[in-house]
Every structure is written in C-alpha cells, then in structure tokens.
Amino acid sequence: MRATAPAEPVRTSAADPAPFIRIDGVSKYFGTFRAVENVSLEIRKGEIFALLGGSGCGKTTLLRMLAGFEDPTKGRIFIDGQDMTGVPAYDRPVNMMFQSYALFPHMSVEKNVGYGLKHERMSDAERKDRVREMLELVQLSQFAHRKPHQISGGQRQRVALARALARQPKLLLLDEPLAALDKKLREHTQFELMDIQHKTGTTFIVVTHDQEEAMILSDRMAVMDKGEVRQVGSPTEIYEYPTNRFVAGFIGSINFAEATVASISGDLAEVEVPSFGGRMTARAVPGLAPGQALTLAVRPEKLAISRERPAAGNAVRGVVSDVGYFGKDSLYKVRLPSGAVLSAHSANARRAAEAERVATWEDEVWLCFDPTAAILLTG
Amino acid sequence: MNRRPVFLMSVLAFGFAFFYVPILSMIVFSFNNARLATVWGGFSTKWYAKLFSNDQVLEAAWLSVRIALTSATVATILGTMAGIALARFKRFRGRTFFSGLVTAPLIMPEVITGISTLIFFILISNLLEAAFGWKTQRGFTTITIAHITFSLTFVTAIIQSRLRDADIAVEEAAMDLGSRPWQVMKDITLPIISPAILSGWLLAFTISLDDVVITSFTTGPGSTTLPILIWSKVKLGVTPDINALATITVCVVGLGVIIAGVVLSRAERRRDLDAQMAYRANE
C-alpha cells in the first residue's frame, strides 16, 4: 500500500482504532505466479468496501482468501478480532455471493435460501421465519417454490443475495455481483444492493472490474494492480486525488503530461510542462523538490474551453481536432503546438445549435484549468 | 436439381438397413416353425416355449443378471468415488498416474485383460490353498470381480466428465454456507451427478450382461453366463431357439433404452418450457 496523504483531506482513510477486518501483509502465490502480493487493508464495520481492478489483478483471490477457499501463502486475516488462519470456509462468519450465483439447481428458491440455516441452532419455526424474511427483503416471496431455472437472471441474483444473507454473516463477500445483469437492471440493482446493505448493516466487500460500479456502491475502495493495492480511499479521494499514474489512469479518463518541478511556494508548485509549452501552477504534494520529474494530470471535465484567453489559471492554446457530441456534454480533442492532444469535456448546459456551440473543428481555442484541478503524480 | 437429398436419403436408408435388417431377420426367424434357422417354414412360437422350459438357459440368464447387478452396483460406487477424486481433488501427488491407471483398461485389448485376470485369480487361489487349505473355484465371484474391474473404468469416465462440466462454485457455496465436505457431497454433489451415476450404472450393467471374452477367461466349471451359453450353442449351428433368446434380449434392452430416453427428454422439455415461461413472465 502506497497511499500518501491526499492534498486535501476529503475523508480520512487512516486506520480506525479497531478495524473490523484486518488483512495483514497477505500474499498468495500459485507456483511462481504472484496473485496477491503483500496486501494490507483495514475495513470498518458496516461499510461497503470495493476491491477494484482489471482481470488478474488479484482481487478475486483476495476475496477467496477471506472466504476461506484459499490459504494465504504469507500474512494473516482477522475478522472481528479473530485470526482466520486455519479456519475452514464452513466455520467462518463470512458468506459469499458468487459471480455465477452458484444456486443449487435441484432445490427450490426457498430451500436455497434456507440451506445455510440447517447448520444453525434454531427451531424450525425460526428457520421458516428467517427464510420468509429474507425472501421479503429481496422481494421474491411469490417465487419461493420455483427452481432456479424457472426464474430470470435478475431474480437469481436476488436469491443468491438472500441465501448469503440468511445466516446473518458478519461479512458478506460479493464477487462481481452485477456482472451478469444487463445495463438497465444493473443500475436498478446497484441501489437495491445499497438499500439492503443499509437495512441489514452487514459489512460488504465487493469485487468488481467496473469502476462506475465501485464508485457508486462503495464507501471506500482499494484499487488493485498485479496483486498489489495501489491506493485505498473513498471514491472521491480515488477520483480527485489519485496518488499514482496507474490509479489516475484506471479510474475515468485523464490527460497526462510529463513535467519537471521548477519551484515550490507554500502549497502551490510551479512545474515546467514542455508539451503544454510553458509553466503551469499546480497544488503541491508532500515531498516535492525542485528539478524533480513527475507527471501532471488533468481530468477532461476540469479543462474549460474558451475562445478568449482567460484572465486567471493555467491556459494552453491549441486547435480543435475532433468533437464528440454526447448530448448532455461534448468531448473536444485539442491539438497543442507540441503535437500533444488533450481531451476536454464540456457540459452542454445551454440549448444551442451546432454553429452556436463554444468551438468546432479547426477552431483555435484556449484550454484553462485551475491549479487545484491539476494533479501531480510522483508514482 | 433434387439429386442431393435423394443421394443422401439412399445412403441413409442403406446404412439403416445394414444396421437393422440382420436384427429384424433374426426376430422374424425366431417365429419360424422350421428346424432350420434360415429357411421359413410358417409361423410358430414354439421356440419361445422351448426356451422357457430349458433349465440350462434360465439358469444362465439368472447367473448373468446376478453378476450384472452386483458388478454394476459395486463398480458404480467405486467409479463414482474415483471420478470425484479425479475431478475435484485438485493437486494430489500421483494424480496423473492414478488417472492413467484408471483409464488404461479402456484401451487394453480384452483378451489381455482376460488372461492377466485369470493368472491373477490362479495365483490368489494357490495362495489361499497354501495358507489356509481353502480350496476355491472360479465362478460367480471371479467373474463379478473381473466385471467390476473393467466397468469401473467406464463409470469413472462418465462421472469425471460430468463433474468437469459442473460449476464448482455450487459446491463452494454449500461449504460457504456452513456444510462440511461430507455434507456438501451428500446435499449437493451427489444429487447433481445422480443422472450420471444412473447412466454409469446402466452402462456397467449392460457391458457386464453381454461380456463374453473376459467372462470366458474368469469362469469356472458350472458357471455359464448367458452370452457364453449362446456362444457355445452357436458353435453347433444357429438354431431357432437362439433366435428367440436373442429376440428377448433385444426387446428388453430396446425397451430400457426407450424408457430412459422418453423420461430424459420429457424432463428436458419440461425444463426448457419452465425457463421460457420464467423469461416471458419477467419481460
């Protein structure tokens, strides 16, 4: 973990005094392949924590170690203060919702949801009540007697959720919970999932490759790459204050430029950006020294496009080489004299005909950004 | 312009004729009134009556059924266990070797298997006699053991391929919900592979019932199975009562196949229908 303090603390991601789940220096090797490399995370009680990364980044392996399907090669996992080393999957206070849902094909919806309860010490009446309660929670009461192949994909997803929640686990693991749903259903289900988490108060760890899903669902998230955690923070921290080039580039779109530190004064730094053709001002990050090479990054929506040179802030001049009209906003590709191409997103707040818009092909424009919008990346 | 279908249809017809005309002619001749098996002499069911009054035939049939039932059941239990071990226990030492050992009899010439099994039984029998003075004879037990050995291979292959297609996450889910490995086996794995177990059993039963080669190596005096009996009778010439016996066998096997097929396809169709209804209801 290389999280450095964000320049502007939105919400601290420093360790809680007593984290609910502690992943302590965990590594997992399959032969010579390092699936997970020295990961340490602390997850609070009742939060939705997302593990975000591309395929093969180790997020699923980490989840399977939490569930008890894989043993860490190194390191330890604590859940609610209890060391999970050597505790088999069936004895952990953890339940998992599988990506394939893994419903039992030969059992009805009701039997699926109630399956985990047969190992709990409770009366038949209590068991029945719990199943009914769970089916109500996911709004599937009328499908109780159907088999999994007799219900739709979205309903199967909810059965899987109800089954995983039925034992009231301390921690619920969700492996790509929405990946198998179509786009419309996914948006709806996202909010439903958050609502259910709110009602039950269960701690959720969600594995996803979908950055939007992670942003919307999670309170905090860890961005993973090649088995390592690259940054941990709230969605805002991750998006607005990435600490390294990988995280900045993985989440959303962004413009990168090579830069060199010229001077530092207070919390502002002057950096020389050759491709922008001059000096830019950016908010400093800790540990900068003059002459240091780093990356300047600006998100497209932070670049304001105008015909006249703006009075204040960083400004770069260029020619519009491409325009993409999305309706609610437009994407401008602007070629700078250095040959670099910057993307700028501009909201179409006013209704305007094509000719009346701020810029079009081959127009000379200024791109302007505030020093606070410029991100300096040393990693 | 319509030449292609005509050509294809005639090839198909020829193929089917090649398969089924011999069987049909056998069935027809089993109702032949003449002594000669291949010359028609009017309709009669006397060969069937003769068959059912022939103690030798009935005894052989009963022995064959007993051997097939026992060996199919034991082979299914052992083969299921081996199939699960090969498909689910991922990286255990000597897995490839074990897998090879189990599947090797599939490609081993039956004669070789027969001879080696015979030698093995002779060795064991000599040992038992030397150690305990216990005289043993080849018969039901040795035939059954030999049949278990080779039908085990088929059952293992069926179970293994069924499990390879099955979603392992379903078993993990059961474990995640608090089931110990043996409970997962009982609640999830076995119910899911039960059709494969059933078809494995049926296959083991069938190959045991009609085996000649290995049985002839491992049988002893007084233990004649039905296929061996037919074989030895045919050596003296094909008689109409053999036709009758074969016809009964074909009918029994055919009926079983038809019933199994109807049951399976009906279950399949019902599942498809249910799934369609579910999707329509949720649109």
Side-chain angles (χ1 to χ4, degrees), chain A residues 298-306 308-317 344 365-371 373:
Chain A
V298 193
R299 299 239 177 241
E301 75 277 10
K302 306 281 195 294
L303 283 174
I305 190 162
S306 60
E308 311 297 324
R309 191 194 160 109
N314 302 302
V316 189
R317 195 178 166 76
V365 291
W366 287 92
L367 292 176
C368 164
F369 59 99
D370 200 75

Side-chain angles (χ1 to χ4, degrees), chain A residues 262-303:
Chain A
S263 66
I264 305 151
S265 60
D267 62 347
L268 290 180
E270 288 272 309
V271 292
E272 185 68 39
V273 188
S275 65
F276 285 10
R279 286 201 175 180
M280 302 285 141
T281 315
R283 195 168 278 250
V285 292
L288 283 187
Q292 187 182 349
L294 39 62
T295 306
L296 177 96
V298 193
R299 299 239 177 241
E301 75 277 10
K302 306 281 195 294
L303 283 174

Side-chain angles (χ1 to χ4, degrees), chain B residues 60-61 63-65 67-69 71-72 105-106 108-115 117-118 121 139-152 154 202-220 223-232 249 253:
Chain B
L63 179 68
S64 278
V65 169
I67 289 171
L69 283 173
S71 70
L106 270 178
M108 194 79 77
E110 267 191 284
V111 176
I112 307 283
T113 313
I115 292 173
T117 318
L118 174 64
F121 284 139
F140 175 81
T141 314
T142 50
I143 299 170
T144 306
I145 291 172
H147 283 194
I148 290 167
T149 315
F150 69 79
S151 45
L152 174 74
F154 294 93
L202 280 172
L203 187 64
F205 183 81
T206 320
I207 54 185
S208 165
L209 202 62
D210 70 5
D211 178 74
V212 176
V213 180
I214 289 172
T215 309
S216 62
F217 279 103
T218 52
T219 188
S223 300
T224 309
T225 63
L226 202 55
I228 300 260
L229 182 76
I230 295 174
W231 178 244
S232 56
T249 313
V253 171

